[in-house]
Each structure stands twice: as structure tokens, then as C-alpha cells.
Amino acid sequence: MSTEVVVCGAGRTAFGRSEASGRQLAVTAVHAALADAGIAWPRVRAAFGGSDSAGLADTLVSRLGLTGLPFVNVRNGCATGGSALVSAVNAIRSGTADVVLAVGFDKHPRGAFDPRPEDWGLGTEYGTDGLMVTTQFFGMKTQRYLHDHGITPHTLARVAEKAYRNGALTPGAWRRTPLSAAQILDSGMVSDPLTRYMFCSPGAGAVALVLCSPQVARILDRPRVTLRAAAVRTRRFGSFEVFSPWIPAGPLTSVSRDASAAAFEEAGIAPGEVDVCQLQDTECGAEVMHMAECGFCEDGEQQHLLAAGATEIGGALPVNTDGGCIANGEPVGASGLRQVYEVVQQLRGRAGDRQVPGEPRVGFTHVYGAPGVSACTVLSR
């Protein structure tokens, strides 16, 4: 189980609105990843992928080619892409396959997500009482965190301001118009303290990654990015999660803290060694909280770090260099893999106008999803 895993190909589509179906977007991303790796589809020995609302990933073989390979569907909320990636990594480490595809895609209708309580183990009254509204949860959790650690709403606006600025530098991003912190704060309150432009939007998009063993990587002779660790965790007792009907008193547990700690331990790398990272930013409060939960700072330090520009592309710890979910939107199945795609480009030195200076060597990704699932990776070149 110690076999090294290499990311030999990465492809994505533009995110946003699209006339194409989710499956069509997925096929486009897969072809791009295969071309990047210099591998033909029949060489792929196994595949894992999924979406939340755009269909079954295994049906992609009707467009990619009927080669008979094992293709496993994955559906794990916002952690779908990360979970598919963990499965792909384990297939290589176990010796099941030496070239494996991970793909995530989605196409959501306009408007907010409309989850059904029954699908999340909750009674129908949970929905009729208005508790399935995710923006309400994000607002409550962020408000509590800001209160407990002395962080102001202006810090949230800095997060979004950075996201839109970075999105303007990302060809495949959805939101590519920079906005000022003042515009963001004045965009209309949705769930206090989060305003309209502090949220991401459901959208369409796809990302695919081709992973291979070191032996195959040597033959391909492509820019080498090693996936040092991939971990998925679910919530423990005491967590404050979306769709949770109650929380206990006392200190809270954190699934993101658990997943990131597991990934760093597996990689043998500390958070302080990371040169570029992607953190789940469904809304601005999430990025702020995840900075601490993933080990990059202490609770409450975020306000100073953001004010000092530490998370900018040229800062000490660049965060969400492609604009994150706020600029790209969130096709649920693709989000986690988009993060890995971005880090791969950064470590290869191919990120263009958003390239982190100084030849970054270590990257980290983190995704969080309902009802308390987190997937994290550590990559290096």
C-alpha cells in the first residue's frame, strides 16, 4: 500500500452555465486529461467518478469506448470528486490497475440547491420548517465563528475580493469580473453576516484526472506531480454540520480537521511546508474557518493574515489561486477535482497569470460537503 501515485494527466472544462449536458462536459474533460497524459482510452484499466445531479458516471463509456474496464460510480456530496480520487489512488496502490481515471461532473439548474430531507436521513418536517436551507446553516456557523474569535465581516469581504480577482485570471472560471470589498459588503444580506457576493453558485462543469504508477510515469515522460496522500473522513460526534438537527454543548469536533490531519500524516508533510492550497469556499466563512481547521493558522489569526495579503497569489500561503468555488461556481461532482487540477497546474508551473512565484513544490487541497464529509490531498513535484 506504499506504492507511489503520479498525476500524469489533468483536464477540465469551463465552469458556469452550459448548453452541453453534464455527461458531455465529462467526456470533454476526460479527453483533455487523456491528451495531457499522452494516453489513449483503451490503456485506462479502471475508472471512478460521479455527479450529484447529472447522471451516472459509468455511462460515459458509451462515448469513451466500450473496453470493459471496471467503472465505479461515486456519490458523496461535495466530496464526490475527492472520494473518486481516493478510490483511484487505492486502485493503484493495491496493484489492481496501473492507469486509473477519476472524473467528476455536474450540471445544476438555476437557483439554490433543493435537497430532500428524506435523502439525508431526516424527517419531512425538517424541510417544511425551513431547516434544509444551506445558506442559513452557513450564516449561523460563520456568525458563531466570527463572534468566538473576534473576526469582522470585512475579513469575509477580503476573501471574496481575492476570489473574484483570482477568477479574473482563470480562463475556465465563471465569475471573471473583479469586485471590491465595498461592493461585496453592499451586495445585499442573504444570511447574516453573509452577503450575496460572498456565496458561490451551483453551475455546470467537469474535471478529469489520469493517475498512474511510477513505472508508467517513467515511460510517459511527462511533468511529474506525485499524489502523496488522499484522505476522506466523515463527521464525529460533536460536529456542527449542515443538516444536523442539533449540536451538543462544549467544544466542537471538525471533520475537516480530521481529514487534513490524516492527509498530512500519510504524506509525512506538515502544513507549514505547503506552498499553495485550495480550501473549500462554498461561502467566505468556509475559507476562513478551514484555514484553521486544516492546520494553516490558529483560530482568529485569519483576520491578520488576510489583511497582510498572506493568502494572495504572491503571499506566504496562496489560497484558492483559481478563485475557488466563489469564482468558479460549484458543480458538486467536479469541485474537489477542480482543486486538484489547479494545484497540478501550479506545481507544473503552467498556471499562467495566476502562477504562484518561486516554483512551488508542495500543494494541498480540501473539500467539505454535507452532511459532514471532507476529502483532502497532498501533492508534490
Side-chain angles (χ1 to χ4, degrees):
M1 293 295 290
S2 61
T3 301
E4 192 175 85
V5 177
V6 178
V7 181
C8 56
R12 66 165 281 180
T13 68
F15 279 30
R17 299 290 177 212
S18 176
E19 294 299 320
S21 69
R23 293 177 68 255
Q24 288 170 329
L25 293 171
V27 170
T28 299
V30 172
H31 283 317
L34 292 171
D36 186 44
I39 287 177
W41 171 248
R43 181 63 182 84
V44 178
R45 296 292 182 258
F48 301 85
S51 77
D52 183 70
S53 60
L56 299 173
D58 68 301
T59 63
L60 299 176
V61 298
S62 63
R63 295 282 303 277
L64 296 170
L66 302 175
T67 62
L69 87 170
F71 201 134
V72 178
N73 290 308
V74 179
R75 188 181 182 192
N76 219 4
C78 295
T80 292
S83 300
L85 186 62
V86 168
S87 300
V89 167
N90 288 338
I92 292 177
R93 287 180 172 174
S94 67
T96 301
D98 60 355
V99 178
V100 183
L101 173 77
V103 58
F105 60 99
D106 250 309
K107 183 176 182 179
H108 304 296
R110 294 177 182 274
F113 292 117
D114 56 349
R116 299 189 321 145
E118 302 93 316
D119 294 338
W120 301 90
L122 300 167
T124 55
E125 71 282 354
Y126 201 78
T128 55
D129 289 344
L131 297 175
M132 294 299 289
V133 181
T134 56
T135 53
Q136 177 177 282
F137 161 77
F138 295 139
M140 288 190 298
K141 189 168 185 178
T142 298
Q143 188 76 281
R144 173 173 174 162
Y145 191 85
L146 299 193
H147 171 270
D148 288 352
H149 301 291
I151 297 173
T152 67
H154 190 76
T155 295
L156 301 178
R158 288 184 187 275
V159 171
E161 185 178 38
K162 171 179 64 68
Y164 294 118
R165 185 165 54 247
N166 291 352
L169 303 175
T170 306
W174 185 4
R175 311 298 188 192
R176 303 197 63 200
T177 301
L179 295 173
S180 69
Q183 288 176 301
I184 292 160
L185 287 168
D186 292 340
S187 61
M189 190 63 67
V190 176
S191 291
D192 193 17
L194 300 170
T195 66
R196 178 185 177 188
Y197 292 153
M198 291 181 182
F199 286 92
C200 75
S201 300
V207 181
L209 301 173
V210 178
L211 310 181
C212 66
S213 67
Q215 294 79 6
V216 173
R218 283 192 288 271
I219 296 170
L220 295 174
D221 193 27
R222 288 292 201 272
R224 193 183 185 100
V225 174
T226 301
L227 188 59
R228 300 283 294 270
V232 174
R233 293 291 185 272
T234 58
R235 65 197 184 282
R236 290 187 289 120
F237 181 80
S239 61
F240 184 5
E241 310 294 353
V242 62
F243 306 154
S244 295
W246 64 280
I247 57 171
L252 300 176
T253 62
S254 163
V255 65
S256 295
R257 199 179 300 277
D258 292 345
S260 59
F264 282 125
E265 181 178 6
E266 180 184 331
I269 287 176
E273 298 175 72
V274 172
D275 299 309
V276 57
C277 73
Q278 294 279 115
L279 302 178
Q280 178 81 352
D281 61 332
T282 318
E283 28 60 48
C284 296
E287 181 174 319
V288 170
M289 290 183 283
H290 294 145
M291 286 175 64
E293 291 181 349
C294 292
F296 295 109
C297 67
E298 295 297 323
D299 291 313
E301 289 183 351
Q302 300 95 323
Q303 183 155 296
H304 167 73
L305 291 172
L306 283 157
T311 60
E312 300 287 345
I313 288 174
L317 180 66
V319 176
N320 293 336
T321 48
D322 63 351
C325 288
I326 292 173
N328 285 273
E330 186 172 32
V332 164
S335 252
L337 295 184
R338 173 190 53 76
Q339 295 180 327
V340 179
Y341 173 91
E342 174 65 13
V343 168
V344 167
Q345 303 315 307
Q346 291 287 348
L347 299 185
R348 286 175 165 180
R350 294 181 177 179
D353 292 339
R354 65 187 188 282
Q355 179 64 50
V356 169
E359 298 185 352
R361 300 192 61 84
V362 178
F364 172 85
T365 73
H366 156 272
V367 66
Y368 163 87
V373 184
S374 182
C376 296
T377 70
V378 179
L379 302 100
S380 68
R381 66 176 179 88

